[in-house]
Amino acid sequence: MFGSIRPAAVANLFYPGDPDELRRMLETYLTQATSCLAQSNLTEQISTHHFLQPQGNGQGSIKVIVVPHAGYIYSGQVAAHAYALIQPLANTIKRVVLIGPAHTVYLHGAALPQSRYFATPLGQIGIDSDSVDMLASQQLISVSDLPHQHEHCLEVQLPFLQHCLKEFKLIPLLIGESEPYAMAELLECLWGGQETLIVVSTDLSHFHQYDEAVRLDKITCLKILDGQGTFSPEQACGSSSLNALFPLLKRHKLCLTQLNYQNSGDTAGDKNRVVGYASFASR
């Protein structure tokens, strides 16, 4: 459908289409997030987990981040709290497994693109074609550009990744209805080492009154931190991705740390119908 390049679908809608304006916005968000992390009570925890300093054995590298995917004016600052942590790893991370929910097309299983590049105003990102070819024969995987054509949940992460990293290959995977442990086994094939970053794209609750959203999202965030149980689409639109991730976190003995929470009522929306956003990271 796209040929070899999947063009940006939501530039000028979810984020600026002008490259210079986009870079300035990203830099502002990341600078603010870095300052917030340094000043908050997360500082000691981040230092203890060596989040900011990659170690020789790879134990300091960020392995997983969970980030929201709304328009940047709504959730960009929340996402920046996680992306600020991968900036020191620009020379280490060479491959990004990016997973999120299919909003526009029903999927049973997951979809990888046929396209060989994804484009944003900041340039093109090469798809890890070896990984796509490896997974293409799996029963739960379809290789199609259609689910990716208008999908925003992966695209909005790309400018952050381009700004924070250097050269890297991308594995963009949209996850639909699926059995968590079966999908986890597929993701295990992509897990890799310190060269591979796993990015989970999800928002939290949708369209509740502000106070109710805060209450519901607190429950969901605590559940994410606990690393137990399964999530529903009402709790997180990327529930299928979270549900596939958690068996792997348990297998690899990892846990997530919450970095930030806000909702659209805190950022750029009214408080009558808000959407919740949180960011997490694990080394």
Side-chain angles (χ1 to χ4, degrees):
M1 178 167 298
F2 302 121
S4 63
I5 301 173
R6 188 269 191 192
V10 296
N12 288 318
L13 295 172
F14 280 64
Y15 59 87
D18 177 76
D20 292 332
E21 182 183 356
L22 178 55
R23 290 188 189 95
R24 287 193 296 270
M25 177 178 281
L26 291 169
E27 190 59 40
T28 297
Y29 285 152
L30 290 163
T31 299
Q32 292 173 351
T34 300
S35 177
C36 181
L37 288 168
Q39 295 175 16
S40 72
N41 57 11
L42 284 168
T43 302
E44 182 177 352
Q45 187 175 13
I46 292 171
S47 176
T48 300
H49 286 79
H50 308 293
F51 271 161
L52 295 177
Q53 296 297 328
Q55 306 298 311
N57 61 4
Q59 293 301 304
S61 297
I62 298 294
K63 184 61 184 179
V64 178
I65 61 173
V66 178
V67 285
H69 54 235
Y72 282 9
I73 63 170
Y74 296 101
S75 67
Q77 188 63 68
V78 178
H81 280 70
Y83 285 111
L85 298 181
I86 72 168
Q87 284 187 295
L89 304 173
N91 291 319
T92 301
I93 296 171
K94 301 300 181 183
R95 187 174 72 147
V96 176
V97 180
L98 176 55
I99 61 177
H103 287 94
T104 64
V105 174
Y106 172 79
L107 283 178
H108 179 74
L112 289 162
Q114 291 176 303
S115 299
R116 293 308 190 187
Y117 297 89
F118 271 28
T120 80
L122 300 185
Q124 296 177 6
I125 305 170
I127 303 301
D128 183 354
S129 57
D130 290 341
S131 294
V132 172
D133 293 342
M134 176 187 68
L135 292 179
S137 62
Q138 298 293 324
Q139 186 175 3
L140 289 175
I141 296 291
S142 61
V143 180
S144 171
D145 284 331
L146 182 61
H148 293 270
Q149 182 177 13
H150 301 295
E151 182 56 59
H152 66 276
C153 79
L154 304 187
E155 181 181 329
V156 298
Q157 312 305 338
L158 301 182
F160 272 108
L161 290 166
Q162 289 171 298
H163 191 78
C164 293
L165 302 179
K166 294 183 179 179
E167 293 295 323
F168 66 95
K169 291 289 187 179
L170 181 69
I171 306 171
L173 188 65
L174 292 172
I175 300 181
E177 184 178 343
S178 57
E179 198 283 318
Y181 284 91
M183 192 58 64
E185 289 305 311
L186 290 178
L187 292 177
E188 176 67 24
C189 297
L190 303 172
W191 190 259
Q194 62 179 321
E195 82 291 339
T196 300
L197 173 71
I198 311 295
V199 180
V200 177
S201 176
T202 184
D203 294 338
L204 300 180
S205 68
H206 283 59
F207 308 138
H208 297 283
Q209 291 278 342
Y210 182 91
D211 290 343
E212 177 68 358
V214 171
R215 184 186 72 81
L216 292 171
D217 290 341
K218 182 177 181 180
I219 294 171
T220 301
C221 289
L222 289 173
K223 192 174 179 180
I224 290 172
L225 293 173
D226 187 50
Q228 303 295 325
T230 58
F231 298 87
S232 70
E234 290 73 30
Q235 293 173 306
C237 62
S239 58
S240 56
S241 301
L242 287 172
N243 292 336
L245 173 70
F246 275 89
L248 296 179
L249 293 179
K250 185 175 182 179
R251 177 181 299 177
H252 292 276
K253 298 181 180 179
L254 301 177
C255 59
L256 291 166
T257 296
Q258 186 172 342
L259 306 172
N260 192 243
Y261 169 81
Q262 296 182 69
N263 61 46
S264 57
D266 299 313
T267 54
D270 64 45
K271 295 183 183 295
N272 293 318
R273 297 178 78 246
V274 309
V275 178
Y277 316 117
S279 52
F280 300 82
S282 176
R283 66 175 177 89

